[in-house]
Amino acid sequence: MIGMAMDKDSLNLLDQFVKRNNVSYLILKGNEKAITNLSAAPLGKNFKGVPTTLVLDKRGQIYKRFDGSFDSEQLEESLQTLINQK
């Protein structure tokens, strides 16, 4: 799992957020260039902005995409399906 912080104001608070929420995954600090790059491949014209969550399969292909907020049960179901695939 990789996160990307995009809000300029929140970048100053990122370390505090990570410690307070016991975040154990990598969080990158993004900027406008990151958005531009995400708008290119692999998301292309379908990129609607942040937050966007991508679930990748073991080949690195996009298996599931969530635009905006989503229910954690949806994510768990997607991950479980991938885990059970041979």
Side-chain angles (χ1 to χ4, degrees), residues 3-31:
M4 185 179 298
M6 297 300 299
D7 183 3
K8 291 177 184 176
D9 294 332
S10 69
L11 293 180
N12 298 327
L13 304 173
L14 185 56
D15 290 336
Q16 294 173 15
F17 173 84
V18 168
K19 288 176 186 173
R20 184 176 60 247
N21 293 289
N22 202 23
V23 175
S24 61
Y25 55 86
L26 177 65
I27 298 183
L28 305 174
K29 295 180 181 180
N31 56 25

Side-chain angles (χ1 to χ4, degrees), residues 17-58:
F17 173 84
V18 168
K19 288 176 186 173
R20 184 176 60 247
N21 293 289
N22 202 23
V23 175
S24 61
Y25 55 86
L26 177 65
I27 298 183
L28 305 174
K29 295 180 181 180
N31 56 25
E32 291 299 320
K33 186 173 181 179
I35 294 293
T36 300
N37 290 340
L38 287 172
S39 297
L43 297 179
K45 63 183 177 187
N46 294 324
F47 181 64
K48 297 177 181 164
V50 291
T52 296
T53 301
L54 302 175
V55 177
L56 306 178
D57 64 17
K58 61 184 169 187

Side-chain angles (χ1 to χ4, degrees), residues 55-64 78-79 81-86:
V55 177
L56 306 178
D57 64 17
K58 61 184 169 187
R59 296 181 316 268
Q61 301 297 310
I62 298 173
Y63 170 74
K64 188 78 169 182
S78 296
L79 294 174
T81 298
L82 285 174
I83 290 169
N84 292 333
Q85 287 182 349
K86 293 185 178 186

